[in-house]
Amino acid sequence: GDSVTQMEGPVTLSEEAFLTINCTYTATGYPSLFWYVQYPGEGLQLLLKATKADDKGSNKGFEATYRKETTSFHLEKGSVQVSDSAVYFCALRDTGFQKLVFGTGTRLLVSP
Amino acid sequence: NAGVMQNPRHLVRRRGQEARLRCSPMKGHSHVYWYRQLPEEGLKFMVYLQKENIIDESGMPKERFSAEFPKEGPSILRIQQVVRGDSAAYFCASSGTVDNSYEQYFGPGTRLTVT
């Protein structure tokens, strides 16, 4: 079945450092890919998405490119802030289905 | 435009009791999804409903769990005879034709604790 694999956390960075969180997927169809962010005690917020190969999703300085050849959707940000500290989830929605399949999440801790 | 609303935010039940979790989708949304997040894990899909219909319940445990989305009122996730392993955060999401993207918008979750 469909699955998403994320790098384990926590990822600990200093403010203004470069961020990469790896995400790879397995799907039978042509999925849409998503990154969600969860702040403590809150629900998930959509951060960015890409619906087809080579699409780049971007939002709030974060970006991720849909790479079909490597089945990857890595999240990057050039300069993180303390306020970016949260748990980040990679997810896919496969063709013909509505449900989202999530990775296990990666906790990001940014220190001043 | 109000977002997805869930209540209660926190629910404590003793083993053997029933838990009822409610979800009101965003205005104009007719699709509701329930996900469960166990401690330190990602979200797992449970069920997908449209008004008065269960579309996909492939993630629902076979026993004790049920869901509905009536013509009027919120969607309800019902857990009968709760056990300690049911302790988790339960998130509801909704989507619809508001922006034609079927993008799912999540509520703040209900954190169920079974004592």
Side-chain angles (χ1 to χ4, degrees), chain A residues 36 38 41-44 46 49 89 93 98-100 102-104, chain B residues 9 33 35 37 42-43 45 48 58 91 102-104 106-107 111:
Chain A
Y36 282 85
Q38 184 180 33
E42 298 185 10
L44 275 71
L46 179 64
K49 68 178 181 181
F89 291 95
R93 187 178 68 218
Q98 291 298 318
K99 66 181 182 184
L100 290 166
F102 286 90
T104 53
Chain B
R9 294 291 305 274
Y33 315 79
Y35 295 84
Q37 184 179 32
L43 279 74
F45 169 78
Y48 161 41
S58 59
F91 290 95
Y102 285 95
E103 191 172 300
Q104 293 182 26
F106 282 79
R111 282 156 181 82

Side-chain angles (χ1 to χ4, degrees), chain B:
Chain B
N1 187 14
V4 178
M5 300 179 69
Q6 291 187 248
N7 64 81
R9 294 291 305 274
H10 300 274
L11 181 62
V12 179
R13 286 287 179 265
R14 296 181 187 276
R15 278 178 295 172
Q17 291 185 320
E18 178 179 287
R20 281 183 180 242
L21 288 62
R22 287 177 289 278
C23 169
S24 296
M26 286 180 69
K27 186 176 181 180
H29 283 189
S30 57
H31 306 255
V32 166
Y33 315 79
W34 287 93
Y35 295 84
R36 177 166 63 175
Q37 184 179 32
L38 294 169
E40 303 303 319
E41 293 188 16
L43 279 74
K44 303 289 187 188
F45 169 78
M46 299 181 75
V47 62
Y48 161 41
L49 312 101
Q50 295 180 20
K51 288 280 189 181
E52 301 184 283
N53 283 301
I54 296 174
I55 307 302
D56 179 357
E57 57 181 347
S58 59
M60 284 281 269
K62 294 289 186 285
E63 298 178 350
R64 302 186 298 108
F65 285 73
S66 62
E68 62 177 8
F69 188 16
K71 188 176 181 180
E72 301 291 336
S75 175
I76 306 287
L77 179 67
R78 182 182 178 204
I79 311 172
Q80 295 179 289
Q81 299 176 323
V82 296
V83 300
R84 288 240 171 93
D86 297 332
S87 295
Y90 292 82
F91 290 95
C92 167
S94 73
S95 68
T97 56
V98 173
D99 57 3
N100 294 319
S101 71
Y102 285 95
E103 191 172 300
Q104 293 182 26
Y105 295 83
F106 282 79
T110 294
R111 282 156 181 82
L112 172 66
T113 302
V114 179
T115 62

Side-chain angles (χ1 to χ4, degrees), chain A residues 74-101:
Chain A
H74 304 322
L75 182 68
E76 296 182 335
K77 187 176 185 184
S79 176
V80 294
Q81 305 299 313
V82 172
S83 57
D84 293 328
S85 297
V87 180
Y88 292 80
F89 291 95
C90 185
L92 68 81
R93 187 178 68 218
D94 208 346
T95 313
F97 296 91
Q98 291 298 318
K99 66 181 182 184
L100 290 166
V101 176

